[in-house]
Amino acid sequence: MEPEVVEAELVLPAHMRFKKIQMYEKYPKGQARVRWKHLKQIIQAENYQNYPPDEPNYVNIDSPPSMHPCKRICDITGYEAPYFDPRTKLRYANAEVFKVIRSLPNDYVQRYLALRNAAVVLR
Amino acid sequence: MTLFKALIIVTPSLPCDIYHFMFYMLLKEQTINHPVLITECACNPVQSRSKMAELLFETYGVPSVAFGVDAAFSYKYNHQLGVCNSDGLAICSGFNTSHVIPFLNGEPVYEACCRTNVGGYHITDYLKQLLSLKYPHHMSKLTWEKVEDLKMEHCYIAPDYASEVRLFQKGDKKAEEKTKCWQLPWTPLPMEEAPSEEEIARKAALREKQGQRLREMAEAKRLNRINDLENEIRDLEMLLQRLRHATENDIPSILAKSVHTSRQDVESALSKATQSLRKAKGENVENVEKMDSSSSEKYNLINVPDEMLTPEQLKQKRKQLFIKSTSEARQQKKQKQVEEELERERQKKLEEERRLENPERYLEELRTKHRDLSEKVDQRKRLKTNGGHTNGNNNNNASGGERERILLAGLDEMELLLLLLLNRSNSRHTSGPRPAGVRLWSSSVFDNNARGATHVDLEWGRHLIKIREVVPTVVSAADAGGDASPNAPNISPHALEALQISILAERIPASAILWTLKLGGAVCSRWDRRCILPVRRGRSDRGILDLNKQSLLAIGVSPLAGAKINHFKGSIRLFHGPLTPVDVFVSLTAIGDATRGRNILASSIGFGLLSWRKADNCWAGKNLNDEYFIAATQYAKLQEASLEAVSKVQKSWVKSGGVSSANFQRSNKYNPVSNVRGVSQHTERTLPMRKLSPKEIEKRRKSGLCFHCVEPYTFGHKCRKLFTIVATELSEEESIDEEGDKVDEEEEDLAISVHALGGKVVQDTIKLLGNVKNNTISVLVDIGSSHSFLDPYVAKKTGYEVEYTNPMQVTVADGNKLECNTRCPKFTWNGQP
């Protein structure tokens, strides 16, 4: 066990009186723990589409995507980017950044694009 | 319960573990005998909540549970302390999500609340990705936790992004002050350790063993071959003997058994076999002498002129010529070898003589020779590495191997450097794609002096002083402290540079990273837009959210966020006019408010009554016991301190579905039977509460009147008007009833005005003649009705089909209710006859 765990006195006894069902009863050795549902599964199980639309629920309080045009910011330096490289699709601030962009491997270009959700995703 | 100490849980992978730890810390060995209040996000899915309740009930045996929204608690707490008004907007930034919840008269309006899935986690993640893209060689150093630390410590909110960025773009002193630099410790390149004695011995033994095995195998093979040959020879000799003794006639029969055709054949085979046997046994085969002896007869055709030979013999002659020349060449070569050997021996003798003559000079000569040779080898190697292939070929020469090792080590460093240089926007080394290799490295290392002291070199020098090799410390570029470590000069400045992670405008390009965060608190960059959204929604829904009255409360935001607050104010005014008064408050503490608000409720005497028992939940098939809620509401009204918090608890509960039964299924709130009691759920939306000013509320509260109707409020009180509204809301839109009316649907409940019923024409009624399938009908236009109603007789007469639907109640003008259970969806009429 990690030393800091021991130090912080986080080592709990196996049996606890305040528990009705002890851990070792619920999960006997060798048995896998409960599989937790993903958020997607939970939402699907809730059947929100059957609910009246005017009632707030987890899905419909989600804010819609922004309709504002995104700001033009250089992908490499973070400066304001007046230029756009048609080959790599990256935005850049000045000629020096442009040199950098053109010497970047494609892998990195894609990752920079992915940062602002502009990468080409092939499915 | 919220007595969470400042202890850090190391791996809280599951909520179960957290409870585990918490309860253990709180209770040690007792059992839980008090209600538990759990906070959750707004509109938590029923599944999550029920799982939580299940865990608490089943595993921990908690007597009762209550749920509430943390933002609401926080808002209430701040409201009580006078930080914000009763109307307002709570902006709650969390770890994974940010919520914006409007409050009206101190109550949360969940219909208009809004969630954005951006939080502190995303900001850290963004920063991590940016840094790892910029410094791909330090990817392993940039752990999530480390980046979180960096963010907490160094990131800040820019009041105006554009101007902030321009500061960096100019690159003057101010920007330099803002640049943060994280110096990684210099770790020596992994040196190849010289193999120990044991290792060498082990390897040698291994090799020896392998050699032994090979030799044994070869020996066995040889023995086998000898054996075979001996057998063959014996067979052949026996055959020959038999042939000798046999008569001429018997020969073919004897030979038929073997592969040979004649006696000569057998003899030649025998001689071949004996020869190869001798070879196998390692005896010297004196071929040459033999050949010499038989040369005259072997090359019998050579001296005969061509004209006298048949074509076959000609061929043979050519062959003989060839064989003769090759054998002669072989002999010559042998002779040469012998001569060379003699020469070498003579030279050795000479050298020995010279050594004896003058040993020192001789040694010197040898050394120079050796140096020359090793240099040559070096050169050859460098050429090789320049080509990009360094395959550790260091078995030639000791010094050459060393050199190569150094070069190899340098190559790593150089690669680092190359990437660094590529990343340096102002570096002059980036002027074109360079082949990755030693050339660049060496040129930048060795040509530095030639190029003169540019600012890059100066920087290198400064960094050289700045090295701290013990622990990874974050060093600000400004405080170039003078504690030069003693072994700094040994480290190449390039390595130093390469080991730096400097945070320049990193935090700024990430438009998301604009907030200083405290323990998972975050607000996204589109914060302003997001919280305007509920304001708008609120308007359309209820038309009551008034920005003039409203105060905005930011929760989970560090008090340092002042700059953003101003920015936010500005953008609100952008939407709502330049003079809109906006008050933005930051909650007292970033995270503690919800806890405190919660504690007030949890510590109130009546809290136990408000929470859910397991028995309540076990009420299978029944709706959330509404009586319980009514009781809760009343209790809340009595308990001034916890009033709002309580109502929030139950509202959030009902609003997002609530846990209803032991199976934790969603309650059927729209079951008409149970709905009579589902008071709280519809109260804020349909009641005419909007007409109440805070003063009036105060007055009512003082005189003990119900908020909704004007009757005095007692235990078990039911607002009559409430029911009608709630009940009528169930009904669907179109229905066929009496006179037809076209109405715009302003009001929710079905209502029909007196005029419509009586067909009476007063000055503000509009009566038209309509045309339906050549039947003339009279149409009464009444803007006071919610739906269009049709006489069943008309429907019958015009031949439109009538469907049966769920029965609904229609409130008519005199307050009576009529049942309506049919509708006519296809009915159309023309206004112009």
Side-chain angles (χ1 to χ4, degrees):
Chain A
M1 203 172 283
E2 298 93 344
E4 57 262 34
V5 177
V6 179
E7 225 172 82
E9 293 176 344
L10 289 174
V11 190
L12 304 181
H15 180 88
M16 293 189 194
R17 267 195 59 205
F18 59 80
K19 288 183 84 174
K20 271 186 181 172
I21 302 164
Q22 300 296 331
M23 212 57 150
Y24 50 81
E25 287 167 24
K26 205 169 176 187
Y27 307 111
K29 262 194 181 162
Q31 191 184 321
R33 285 201 160 192
V34 188
R35 285 209 159 194
W36 296 91
K37 276 188 181 174
H38 303 297
L39 182 63
K40 247 186 190 171
Q41 289 172 309
I42 290 175
I43 288 171
Q44 206 161 26
E46 292 282 303
N47 285 320
Y48 282 125
Q49 69 272 13
N50 298 345
Y51 289 14
D54 55 345
E55 186 196 343
N57 58 41
Y58 188 80
V59 175
N60 66 13
I61 68 165
D62 204 353
S63 52
S66 171
M67 303 309 279
H68 289 251
C70 57
K71 284 180 181 164
R72 303 195 184 284
I73 288 170
C74 173
D75 282 306
I76 311 293
T77 58
Y79 304 148
E80 277 173 284
Y83 313 112
F84 171 78
D85 178 19
R87 194 198 290 173
T88 57
K89 307 266 192 297
L90 286 171
R91 297 201 174 106
Y92 61 94
N94 49 40
E96 274 152 30
V97 182
F98 183 63
K99 277 178 205 160
V100 177
I101 284 176
R102 280 296 167 93
S103 61
L104 275 178
N106 186 41
D107 181 33
Y108 278 74
V109 169
Q110 289 305 316
R111 278 168 67 191
Y112 271 117
L113 286 173
L115 265 184
R116 59 172 164 100
N117 286 335
V120 183
V121 183
L122 298 174
R123 287 177 205 278
Chain B
M1 303 254 66
T2 53
L3 290 166
F4 220 100
K5 292 271 157 60
L7 282 166
I8 301 147
I9 299 173
V10 178
T11 48
S13 52
L14 298 168
C16 194
D17 291 343
I18 298 178
Y19 288 149
H20 225 107
F21 175 72
M22 211 165 49
F23 285 130
Y24 178 71
M25 279 301 170
L26 284 175
L27 305 164
K28 295 288 176 191
E29 285 299 306
Q30 304 151 19
T31 48
I32 300 162
N33 53 6
H34 49 78
V36 172
L37 176 61
I38 303 273
T39 52
E40 57 182 16
C41 68
C43 301
N44 200 13
V46 182
Q47 151 91 25
S48 324
R49 191 184 298 146
S50 64
K51 273 269 179 244
M52 193 83 96
E54 190 185 314
L55 184 79
L56 286 168
F57 284 132
E58 303 288 327
T59 309
Y60 294 100
V62 170
S64 56
V65 179
F67 290 89
V69 174
D70 52 352
F73 283 125
S74 191
Y75 190 86
K76 267 357 265 188
Y77 180 73
N78 280 290
H79 180 205
Q80 274 174 16
L81 291 179
V83 176
C84 51
N85 308 339
S86 59
D87 281 4
L89 206 58
I91 297 144
C92 175
S93 36
F95 183 62
N96 270 319
T97 52
S98 300
H99 282 93
V100 178
I101 304 173
F103 284 78
L104 269 181
N105 297 328
E107 300 203 3
V109 186
Y110 289 111
E111 294 96 321
C113 81
C114 172
R115 186 194 65 229
T116 310
N117 290 330
V118 175
Y121 168 79
H122 299 92
I123 295 174
T124 306
D125 208 48
Y126 197 101
L127 183 62
K128 183 172 173 258
Q129 283 190 47
L130 271 180
L131 285 179
S132 57
L133 269 172
K134 198 170 174 191
Y135 300 104
H137 280 87
H138 303 309
M139 207 96 94
S140 57
K141 293 264 169 41
L142 291 165
T143 56
W144 198 90
E145 286 76 18
K146 184 68 213 175
V147 176
E148 174 92 3
D149 279 356
L150 286 177
K151 181 188 79 178
M152 299 279 228
E153 211 170 322
H154 299 294
C155 294
Y156 64 97
I157 305 146
D160 180 17
Y161 179 68
S163 64
E164 195 83 13
V165 154
R166 249 170 259 133
L167 208 74
F168 279 96
Q169 217 157 358
K170 256 189 260 160
D172 58 359
K173 209 165 186 192
K174 264 188 184 173
E176 209 165 278
E177 271 166 25
K178 289 192 172 194
T179 304
K180 299 287 190 299
C181 194
W182 175 27
Q183 183 69 56
L184 293 172
W186 187 81
T187 42
L189 291 158
M191 296 276 278
E192 275 171 47
E193 266 184 43
S196 62
E197 293 278 310
E198 249 175 70
E199 189 79 354
I200 292 169
R202 208 170 56 83
K203 271 188 180 159
L206 215 73
R207 213 172 304 135
E208 182 61 30
K209 219 171 162 187
Q210 274 174 342
Q212 190 68 35
R213 227 182 57 216
L214 277 174
R215 249 170 277 145
E216 270 168 23
M217 274 166 69
E219 184 65 21
K221 218 173 172 183
R222 201 172 66 96
L223 282 175
N224 260 353
R225 189 170 153 73
I226 289 171
N227 222 6
D228 286 352
L229 283 170
E230 273 172 356
N231 284 346
E232 200 185 334
I233 289 166
R234 212 174 37 238
D235 287 352
L236 285 171
E237 271 171 356
M238 271 172 68
L239 194 69
L240 269 177
Q241 214 133 38
R242 277 172 70 189
L243 284 175
R244 244 173 258 145
H245 293 297
T247 53
E248 276 295 309
N249 299 342
D250 288 344
I251 289 172
S253 62
I254 293 166
L255 282 177
K257 282 174 199 165
S258 68
V259 286
H260 308 290
T261 44
S262 67
R263 195 172 157 176
Q264 283 78 15
D265 207 1
V266 176
E267 272 169 355
S268 70
L270 180 66
S271 67
K272 237 188 229 166
T274 41
Q275 227 175 60
S276 49
L277 179 66
R278 249 193 260 155
K279 222 192 218 166
K281 275 182 180 168
E283 288 163 29
N284 246 340
V285 189
E286 313 274 322
N287 266 342
V288 188
E289 283 81 4
K290 249 190 202 171
M291 238 180 257
D292 275 347
S293 61
S294 59
S295 65
S296 55
E297 53 177 297
K298 241 188 174 173
Y299 310 127
N300 48 359
L301 292 172
I302 287 176
N303 295 326
V304 183
D306 286 359
E307 297 87 55
M308 292 170 69
L309 294 171
T310 57
E312 193 129 314
Q313 276 172 324
L314 256 178
K315 219 186 255 172
Q316 211 144 7
K317 186 188 166 185
R318 240 173 271 148
K319 208 173 165 187
Q320 276 174 6
L321 267 173
F322 174 69
I323 288 167
K324 196 186 172 189
S325 60
T326 46
S327 69
E328 272 168 12
R330 220 177 288 147
Q331 263 172 327
Q332 272 175 10
K333 199 180 152 200
K334 222 173 206 178
Q335 215 156 7
K336 226 183 197 172
Q337 267 176 2
V338 173
E339 273 169 25
E340 263 176 24
E341 217 153 282
L342 282 173
E343 177 73 16
R344 218 174 291 151
E345 248 164 59
R346 218 181 59 225
Q347 283 233 337
K348 251 186 197 171
K349 239 181 235 171
L350 259 172
E351 294 246 317
E352 191 69 17
E353 270 168 33
R354 269 170 65 195
R355 198 176 71 85
L356 286 174
E357 224 173 77
N358 190 354
E360 297 226 338
R361 206 177 123 214
Y362 175 73
L363 213 66
E364 194 63 32
E365 268 170 27
L366 265 186
R367 265 190 202 136
T368 47
K369 222 188 225 170
H370 177 258
R371 212 174 302 140
D372 284 354
L373 267 175
S374 53
E375 231 160 78
K376 257 183 206 165
V377 169
D378 264 6
Q379 218 145 19
R380 224 169 273 176
K381 266 198 189 127
R382 220 169 309 158
L383 277 175
K384 240 188 213 169
T385 40
N386 273 347
H389 301 288
T390 49
N391 41 2
N393 235 354
N394 46 4
N395 49 358
N396 296 346
N397 202 316
S399 70
E402 180 66 21
R403 173 87 190 168
E404 178 135 280
R405 204 189 55 73
I406 290 165
L407 274 181
L408 266 173
L411 202 67
D412 287 4
E413 193 181 291
M414 188 264 320
E415 260 170 36
L416 275 178
L417 181 78
L418 183 73
L419 251 129
L420 181 101
L421 288 176
L422 284 177
N423 277 320
R424 286 186 65 93
S425 54
N426 57 351
S427 168
R428 66 213 140 81
H429 294 294
T430 53
S431 54
R434 297 240 182 188
V438 183
R439 221 169 294 148
L440 176 70
W441 180 70
S442 56
S443 75
S444 62
V445 171
F446 303 120
D447 303 351
N448 242 347
N449 297 329
R451 288 192 194 183
T454 60
H455 77 281
V456 179
D457 302 332
L458 281 176
E459 233 174 69
W460 281 337
R462 215 178 54 218
H463 290 317
L464 197 69
I465 302 167
K466 226 172 56 186
I467 178 121
R468 301 175 186 189
E469 88 284 9
V470 198
V471 267
T473 45
V474 180
V475 193
S476 162
D479 63 20
D483 54 344
S485 67
N487 54 350
N490 296 342
I491 301 153
S492 123
H494 304 90
L496 196 62
E497 181 94 334
L499 285 168
Q500 257 168 12
I501 291 183
S502 53
I503 305 174
L504 280 158
E506 248 76 33
R507 52 237 148 112
I508 297 176
S511 58
I513 303 174
L514 289 171
W515 283 88
T516 310
L517 307 157
K518 291 278 180 222
L519 203 97
V523 171
C524 66
S525 65
R526 295 180 188 135
W527 197 56
D528 38 2
R529 280 168 218 150
R530 287 293 176 261
C531 69
I532 280 158
L533 190 92
V535 177
R536 284 176 168 173
R537 250 208 235 171
R539 276 196 172 161
S540 62
D541 282 352
R542 293 163 66 174
I544 29 169
L545 272 179
D546 186 6
L547 269 177
N548 292 324
K549 270 203 287 180
Q550 196 170 311
S551 60
L552 297 149
L553 180 77
I555 298 161
V557 178
S558 117
L560 296 172
K564 190 65 190 174
I565 299 284
N566 286 335
H567 179 56
F568 173 57
K569 271 188 194 171
S571 46
I572 282 241
R573 288 190 178 129
L574 208 75
F575 277 88
H576 295 276
L579 290 173
T580 319
V582 188
D583 297 324
V584 182
F585 305 101
V586 176
S587 60
L588 289 180
T589 51
I591 43 164
D593 287 354
T595 309
R596 287 190 197 113
R598 207 160 31 191
N599 283 348
I600 289 174
L601 172 66
S603 57
S604 61
I605 314 155
F607 174 61
L609 282 173
L610 301 175
S611 52
W612 291 81
R613 286 166 296 267
K614 195 188 172 190
D616 300 335
N617 287 302
C618 285
W619 213 348
K622 231 194 156 227
N623 191 357
L624 317 164
N625 38 358
D626 301 305
E627 277 160 72
Y628 157 74
F629 271 117
I630 293 161
T633 326
Q634 280 161 3
Y635 180 78
K637 304 229 156 152
L638 295 175
Q639 282 275 329
E640 189 58 45
S642 52
L643 165 75
E644 279 87 6
V646 169
S647 61
K648 233 151 295 130
V649 169
Q650 43 123 330
K651 254 164 217 156
S652 72
W653 179 265
V654 180
K655 282 251 154 80
S656 42
V659 181
S660 65
S661 61
N663 337 337
F664 297 100
Q665 279 164 354
R666 191 186 153 80
S667 64
N668 180 10
K669 285 196 296 185
Y670 287 85
N671 176 352
V673 182
S674 61
N675 201 31
V676 179
R677 301 195 150 178
V679 180
S680 49
Q681 134 199 9
H682 290 289
T683 43
E684 326 94 24
R685 194 169 54 230
T686 46
L687 280 183
M689 235 175 81
R690 63 194 91 145
K691 281 159 196 157
L692 289 185
S693 65
K695 266 188 196 166
E696 243 179 309
I697 290 176
E698 202 53 43
K699 216 170 95 193
R700 283 191 189 191
R701 191 175 282 154
K702 268 185 190 153
S703 48
L705 297 176
C706 175
F707 279 0
H708 308 312
C709 46
V710 202
E711 287 164 43
Y713 198 89
T714 52
F715 192 92
H717 162 85
K718 289 171 185 172
C719 300
R720 240 179 267 153
K721 203 172 174 192
L722 212 65
F723 291 133
T724 60
I725 292 166
V726 168
T728 47
E729 238 219 344
L730 303 172
S731 32
E732 293 179 66
E733 347 77 64
E734 290 268 317
S735 68
I736 300 163
D737 208 331
E738 329 231 349
E739 183 77 277
D741 277 330
K742 275 278 175 225
V743 191
D744 47 353
E745 303 189 358
E746 246 176 5
E747 297 227 303
E748 300 273 28
D749 29 341
L750 294 185
I752 186 164
S753 69
V754 187
H755 315 307
L757 280 176
K760 199 169 116 193
V761 181
V762 287
Q763 61 191 78
D764 56 344
T765 54
I766 310 163
K767 201 171 177 185
L768 301 171
L769 280 182
N771 197 8
V772 182
K773 294 186 180 173
N774 295 328
N775 294 304
T776 310
I777 57 164
S778 63
V779 180
L780 202 66
V781 180
D782 186 354
I783 53 164
S785 301
S786 69
H787 291 75
S788 305
F789 296 96
L790 188 70
D791 195 283
Y793 173 70
V794 176
K796 208 174 167 188
K797 201 177 156 192
T798 51
Y800 275 102
E801 249 179 61
V802 171
E803 296 175 5
Y804 286 89
T805 62
N806 294 334
M808 44 202 143
Q809 284 186 325
V810 181
T811 316
V812 289
D814 61 351
N816 279 331
K817 282 167 219 147
L818 302 170
E819 278 276 333
C820 169
N821 55 1
T822 51
R823 58 192 231 125
C824 182
K826 288 173 190 162
F827 189 84
T828 52
W829 60 279
N830 295 323
Q832 290 295 321

